[in-house]
Amino acid sequence: MDAFTCSTAWSRPRGIKTACSRSLAQLEAIGVTPRAAQKRAAAGQLHRVHHGVYSLAPPELLSTKGRYRAAVLAYEPDGVLSHRSAADLHGLRAANQARIELTLPGRGTCGQAGLQVHRSTTLTPADVTVKDGIRVTTVARTLADLADVLPDRAVERALEQAVSMEILDGRALDDQLARHPRAPCLRRLTKRGPIAAPTESDLEELFLAVCRRAGLPEPQRQHYIDPGDGAPMIRADFAWPAQRLIVETDSARHHGSARAFHGDRRRDQRLIAAGWRVIRVTWRQLTERPWEVVDLLRGLLKAS
């Protein structure tokens, strides 16, 4: 439920028609004075979400976006959703912390319960956009901020997701890197070459981690292959095209049905007929005996 979504049995302040939070300034603009808002809150007709921000819905019933809107209103007009919360709103990665993150321009410290406020002397109007009615840092600025608070691989996954979703402005990212030398991992990722497709499961992420720890050549991800047999193209989880080697990550969840089992075999047959070698690995292999997978792949890559 979003802020100001309510039961028809509740008394809705005159002028409040949309499902969103309202600050005291916005309530005054529609004729609800601060004193009247306090009275309605005392009577249970309004609910205080943050200092100076009210909702018809109790805070625990607000949707994620409703909570984000309320958080930004708590610091209007300059507050902007940022960091992990902004990444969640943009669809780059899910937020896994309870506190909502915002950024305010300038220096100093401030905060409210449930909110984590960052201060920045580099935040400019060009770093701010509006998504779903919420002031939020741009995708490029969000990635630069993530580089401050997340491990390198988590930042890389967010970058891959942004490229995959086609929502990243390359020039805006270059501008962020020029203004924020504090993000060395992001700089390394952009200099390494074309951004890879994102991994699509924990199993794929585990396989990639095993390859990197072993120093194997970086495989291409979600690589499309045309076997040349007139049937649809095949998308491989991981591929080394020069060596015509493919790795498929098999999980019981996605490959356990009879239909998936037979479909996988048909895919393998088409690829083998086209001159590709197909290796299938499982979660158990990668967690219990990863060195066996590494030795197998290293031998196959050298033999090509």
Side-chain angles (χ1 to χ4, degrees):
M1 181 180 291
D2 205 344
F4 278 107
T5 298
C6 68
S7 162
T8 55
W10 291 0
S11 176
R12 183 190 300 266
R14 185 179 61 187
I16 298 176
K17 299 180 180 180
T18 58
C20 60
S21 303
R22 287 291 187 270
S23 66
L24 284 175
Q26 291 173 326
L27 288 172
E28 283 194 276
I30 58 175
V32 181
T33 66
R35 181 60 179 163
Q38 291 173 359
K39 287 183 177 180
R40 288 178 180 272
Q45 297 171 345
L46 287 177
H47 299 271
R48 182 180 181 276
V49 184
H50 300 295
H51 177 71
V53 180
Y54 292 87
S55 166
L56 283 175
E60 63 271 17
L61 296 183
L62 295 180
S63 67
T64 298
K65 289 181 180 179
R67 292 171 54 240
Y68 288 163
R69 289 189 184 98
V72 172
L73 282 175
Y75 290 96
E76 65 175 358
D78 298 323
V80 55
L81 196 73
S82 65
H83 294 75
R84 283 159 284 214
S85 301
D88 181 40
L89 183 63
H90 285 304
L92 303 182
R93 67 187 306 273
N96 54 8
Q97 63 177 38
R99 291 195 298 172
I100 296 172
E101 292 182 274
L102 303 104
T103 293
L104 293 175
R107 301 182 184 276
T109 58
C110 59
Q112 296 189 42
L115 304 179
Q116 180 177 353
V117 178
H118 302 268
R119 284 284 190 170
S120 173
T121 59
T122 63
L123 187 71
T124 70
D127 296 329
V128 180
T129 187
V130 176
K131 180 175 174 59
D132 298 330
I134 303 168
R135 279 171 49 85
V136 60
T137 50
T138 62
V139 172
R141 173 69 190 221
T142 299
L143 289 168
D145 287 337
L146 290 179
D148 275 347
V149 297
L150 292 179
D152 289 3
R153 178 54 189 155
V155 178
E156 183 180 16
R157 293 189 76 179
L159 175 62
E160 292 166 355
Q161 184 66 19
V163 172
S164 175
M165 294 172 65
E166 299 183 348
I167 59 174
L168 178 61
D169 183 332
R171 288 177 296 182
L173 184 59
D174 289 340
D175 176 64
Q176 291 295 329
L177 293 174
R179 290 193 289 125
H180 303 290
R182 70 184 190 280
C185 94
L186 195 58
R187 191 179 305 278
R188 287 196 305 271
L189 294 174
T190 56
K191 286 185 176 181
R192 197 169 64 186
I195 305 302
T199 52
E200 296 187 342
S201 68
D202 290 341
L203 180 54
E204 288 187 14
E205 187 66 16
L206 175 60
F207 175 75
L208 182 62
V210 167
C211 289
R212 287 182 170 180
R213 283 198 300 267
L216 295 175
E218 188 87 3
Q220 293 190 22
R221 301 173 228 163
Q222 319 308 334
H223 182 68
Y224 281 90
I225 298 166
D226 183 1
D229 56 6
M233 295 179 70
I234 294 173
R235 189 180 70 168
D237 292 342
F238 297 93
W240 288 267
Q243 292 81 14
R244 299 186 75 78
L245 177 63
I246 289 170
V247 168
E248 295 288 346
T249 52
D250 281 356
S251 67
R253 177 181 178 185
H254 297 292
H255 300 265
S257 68
R259 181 175 182 179
F261 177 87
H262 292 294
D264 289 343
R265 273 63 198 168
R266 175 56 182 150
R267 280 166 47 101
D268 292 354
Q269 292 165 5
R270 292 177 59 206
L271 290 166
I272 291 170
W276 289 81
R277 294 167 296 170
V278 182
I279 305 299
R280 292 187 172 272
V281 300
T282 65
W283 183 273
R284 177 172 291 183
Q285 282 181 294
L286 293 173
T287 54
E288 296 182 1
R289 307 182 71 84
W291 61 89
E292 291 184 348
V293 176
V294 169
D295 289 345
L296 174 62
L297 292 175
R298 185 173 284 126
L300 291 172
L301 290 169
K302 286 182 178 180
S304 302

